């Protein structure tokens, strides 16, 4: 897991996020999380098949579309018309893309959400960072 973005550009992104945090009245960590969520969504919609079947919902949409003050640290989505195996495979593939934005996503696993509505669901877990991943 490595980004093609040079270190000066990664530092520039971090500096912009710090400035944005001050302007928005949010913590720097919240701005990093929001940036990484945006970059995760951008990766998912790059796949033509996945973009036709994914429907974003929840707190992420409320924040991005309706400027909700409620903070979110994940992206909720419904996948319609794809098997869960195919959807997970496509999402994992897209999260490995290098969009030259400094964001990196490392697959950690999935867990069943048996209590999520009538049909259950899956939680896909990724470790995310900007720039080089931590050594541990």
């Amino acid at each position: 897991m490595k980004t093609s973005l040079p270190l000066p550009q990664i530092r520039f992104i971090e500096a912009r996020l710090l400035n944005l945090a001050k302007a928005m009245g949010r913590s720097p960590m919240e701005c990093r999380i929001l940036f990484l969520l945006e970059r995760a969504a951008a990766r998912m919609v790059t796949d033509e098949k996945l973009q036709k079947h994914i429907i974003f919902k929840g707190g992420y949409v409320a924040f991005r579309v309706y400027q909700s003050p409620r903070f979110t640290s994940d992206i909720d989505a419904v996948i319609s018309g794809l098997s869960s195996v195919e959807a997970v495979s496509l999402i994992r593939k897209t999260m490995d893309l290098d969009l030259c934005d400094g964001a990196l996503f490392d697959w950690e696993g999935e867990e069943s959400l048996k209590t999520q509505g009538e049909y259950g669901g899956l939680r896909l877990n990724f470790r995310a960072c900007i720039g080089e991943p931590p050594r541990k």
Side-chain angles (χ1 to χ4, degrees), residues 28-64:
M29 182 56 72
E30 285 179 336
C31 279
R32 282 186 195 96
I33 290 169
L34 293 171
F35 172 78
L36 289 165
L37 291 176
E38 166 110 5
R39 303 322 304 152
R43 281 163 172 75
M44 286 184 261
V45 299
T46 61
D47 185 275
E48 288 184 27
K49 186 171 192 178
L50 186 58
Q51 72 177 232
K52 292 177 185 174
H53 298 278
I54 193 166
I55 304 158
F56 295 111
K57 63 179 195 150
Y60 177 73
V61 171
F63 179 80
R64 294 295 299 153

Side-chain angles (χ1 to χ4, degrees), residues 64-75:
R64 294 295 299 153
V65 176
Y66 303 108
Q67 291 77 44
S68 168
R70 180 180 163 263
F71 183 75
T72 186
S73 61
D74 64 3
I75 297 175

Side-chain angles (χ1 to χ4, degrees), residues 6-16:
L7 186 58
Q9 286 182 301
I10 292 168
R11 288 187 177 140
F12 178 77
I13 290 169
E14 284 284 355
R16 292 291 302 243

